């Protein structure tokens, strides 16, 4: 009878001691983690809300990373285009525009040919600037940032500028009917088809897009197609800024090509007299004057693109600030839901520690008495 009673006391003590130990560990974890709960079962409602907030924070954090990278890319691109604007701005005496004016009115051969070299070097500089890289990617290569956007092919007067392997100054030739066996047959049909295909590719590359999530909503329509206004297009096309194709006169629209061609025309001038090849009323002099007028329009387009880039950079920076604010707000909400009152938690831990120590002391008395009862 005594042994049965002793056994019951020990079992009850062990149960109480274990409960006290569990409460102590729970209170200790609360102090260490400073969390109100550590499992879904402890507070299902708060845990569910916390899960949703953590998902929102992870998404926002990813958007902040993408936004930061996009800002750096567009800021770098803006700086590059700013350099090009400085080269072609007609309001700066150090720009190529003034060099063009001097060349048009320079009577000596050495002056014109020297300016011709200068303009060709300027075209090279513009292209080199537009081949700018941000990190390991080319800023103005559209959606293909791994390959250099602009390249030169050929030498001298035959040197042509290409964008991602396609001639920038592509021109659709006029139809020819020089087949004596069939006077109605277009004999240069292959050339025309190739030129049209190249122009279509350039049109596509100009408008190429690559959308990234910077917190604008990122939604799809009922057909699963991205709603473009819910994402940001971070693709920058070099030909959209410098131009491409030819006009009704067959002259290039790309400003680097215009400048290079003007440089070629100047270097073709007589080195001794400065006379134009073909004379003052010849084709090259007329072409130079025509390109000089079109140069101004092309420069204005580059400046327009520069302003548009500035607007996009400002938008990205403002959007980034909003993302940071959103992340801070989510963090505050998480803090309110998950974080405990540390003073209260420490008090609870101290009380749990006191109770556990008291239980251990009581155990010493119970175990000592029970052992004597057992021995008797």
């Amino acid at each position: 009878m005594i042994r049965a009673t002793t056994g019951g006391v020990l079992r009850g003590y062990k149960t109480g001691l274990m409960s006290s130990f569990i409460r102590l560990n729970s209170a200790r974890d609360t102090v260490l983690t400073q969390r109100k709960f550590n499992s879904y079962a402890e507070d299902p409602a708060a845990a569910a809300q916390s899960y949703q907030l953590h998902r929102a924070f992870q998404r926002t954090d990813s958007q902040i990373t993408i936004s930061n990278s996009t800002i750096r890319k567009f800021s770098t691109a803006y700086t590059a285009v700013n350099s090009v604007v400085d080269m072609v701005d007609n309001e700066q005496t150090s720009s190529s525009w003034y060099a063009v004016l001097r060349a048009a009115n320079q009577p000596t051969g050495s002056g014109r040919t020297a300016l011709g070299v200068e303009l060709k070097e300027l075209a090279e500089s513009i292209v080199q600037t537009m081949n700018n890289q941000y990190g390991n990617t080319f800023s103005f290569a559209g959606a293909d940032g791994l390959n250099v956007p602009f390249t030169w092919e050929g030498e001298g007067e035959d040197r042509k500028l290409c964008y991602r392997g396609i001639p920038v100054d592509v021109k659709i030739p006029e139809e020819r009917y020089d087949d004596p066996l069939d006077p109605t047959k277009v004999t240069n049909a292959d050339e025309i088809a190739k030129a049209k295909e190249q122009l279509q590719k350039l049109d596509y590359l100009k408008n190429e897009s690559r959308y990234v999530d910077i917190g604008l909503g990122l939604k799809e329509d009922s057909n699963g197609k991205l709603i473009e206004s819910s994402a940001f297009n971070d693709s920058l096309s070099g030909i959209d800024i410098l131009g491409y194709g030819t006009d009704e006169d067959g002259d290039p629209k790309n400003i680097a090509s215009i400048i290079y061609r003007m440089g070629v025309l100047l270097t073709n001038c007589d080195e001794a007299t400065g006379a134009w090849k073909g004379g003052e009323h010849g084709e090259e002099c007329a072409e130079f004057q025509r390109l000089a007028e079109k140069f101004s329009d092309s420069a204005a387009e580059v400046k327009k693109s520069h302003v548009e880039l500035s607007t996009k950079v400002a938008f990205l920076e403002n959007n980034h600030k909003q993302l940071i604010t959103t992340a801070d707000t989510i963090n505050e909400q998480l803090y309110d839901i998950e974080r405990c009152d540390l003073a209260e938690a420490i008090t609870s831990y101290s009380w749990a520690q006191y109770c556990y120590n008291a239980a251990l002391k009581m155990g010493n008395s119970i175990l000592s008495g029970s052992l004597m009862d057992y021995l008797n």
Side-chain angles (χ1 to χ4, degrees), residues 63-134:
Q63 291 165 348
I64 289 174
T65 300
I66 295 172
S67 173
N68 188 52
S69 177
T70 306
I71 288 173
R72 290 172 182 262
K73 173 183 176 179
F74 273 71
S75 296
T76 302
Y78 173 83
T79 301
V81 177
N82 186 67
S83 297
V84 175
V85 169
D86 288 340
M87 298 177 198
V88 302
D89 192 348
N90 58 4
E91 296 178 2
Q92 296 187 30
T93 57
S94 59
S95 71
S96 61
W97 174 253
Y98 279 86
V100 170
L101 292 180
R102 293 199 311 272
N105 298 287
Q106 176 60 254
T108 65
S110 59
R112 280 184 175 168
T113 54
L115 282 171
V117 173
E118 181 182 332
L119 288 183
K120 287 196 286 186
E121 289 177 350
L122 176 63
E124 297 270 7
S125 296
I126 291 174
V127 170
Q128 195 172 35
T129 300
M130 293 301 291
N131 282 339
N132 165 277
Q133 281 185 282
Y134 164 63

Side-chain angles (χ1 to χ4, degrees), residues 177-191:
Y177 302 88
D178 51 3
D179 187 344
L181 300 178
D182 186 357
T184 64
K185 181 181 178 181
V186 179
T187 54
N188 63 338
D190 291 342
E191 294 179 18

Side-chain angles (χ1 to χ4, degrees), residues 166-328:
I166 304 172
V168 166
D169 308 321
V170 59
K171 177 181 177 181
I172 299 177
E174 295 182 0
E175 296 179 347
R176 291 201 312 266
Y177 302 88
D178 51 3
D179 187 344
L181 300 178
D182 186 357
T184 64
K185 181 181 178 181
V186 179
T187 54
N188 63 338
D190 291 342
E191 294 179 18
I192 294 174
K194 181 179 179 181
K196 288 182 176 180
E197 181 182 359
Q198 290 176 332
L199 190 58
Q200 288 176 352
K201 287 182 179 179
L202 290 174
D203 288 337
Y204 172 80
L205 294 176
K206 171 185 178 293
N207 299 302
E208 195 174 29
S209 58
R210 189 183 69 172
Y211 289 96
V212 294
D213 181 14
I214 59 168
L216 303 180
L218 197 65
K219 294 182 179 179
E220 296 179 344
D221 59 21
S222 57
N223 297 318
K225 185 179 179 181
L226 176 69
I227 299 175
E228 295 181 359
S229 60
S230 69
F232 183 81
N233 180 16
D234 79 336
S235 175
L236 288 170
S237 172
I239 53 173
D240 186 33
I241 296 171
L242 298 186
Y244 69 100
T246 55
D247 60 19
E248 63 278 2
D249 297 320
D251 296 325
K253 295 180 180 179
N254 182 283
I255 193 166
S257 296
I258 290 174
I259 294 172
Y260 188 83
R261 179 58 186 167
M262 293 174 76
V264 169
L265 294 173
L266 287 172
T267 54
N268 284 344
C269 290
D270 188 276
E271 293 186 3
T273 65
W276 292 97
K277 186 178 180 180
E280 294 294 326
H281 301 290
E283 291 184 4
E284 291 204 351
C285 180
E287 183 182 358
F288 182 90
Q289 297 295 340
R290 189 172 69 242
L291 289 175
E293 295 177 3
K294 294 176 180 179
F295 170 85
S296 180
D297 294 335
S298 294
E301 288 299 314
V302 174
K303 292 174 70 175
K304 179 181 176 181
S305 296
H306 184 240
V307 173
E308 291 174 353
L309 265 177
S310 175
T311 302
K312 289 182 178 180
V313 170
F315 167 77
L316 287 168
E317 289 176 343
N318 289 331
N319 181 75
H320 192 74
K321 291 178 182 177
Q322 182 59 47
L323 286 173
I324 297 296
T325 301
T326 300
D328 290 342

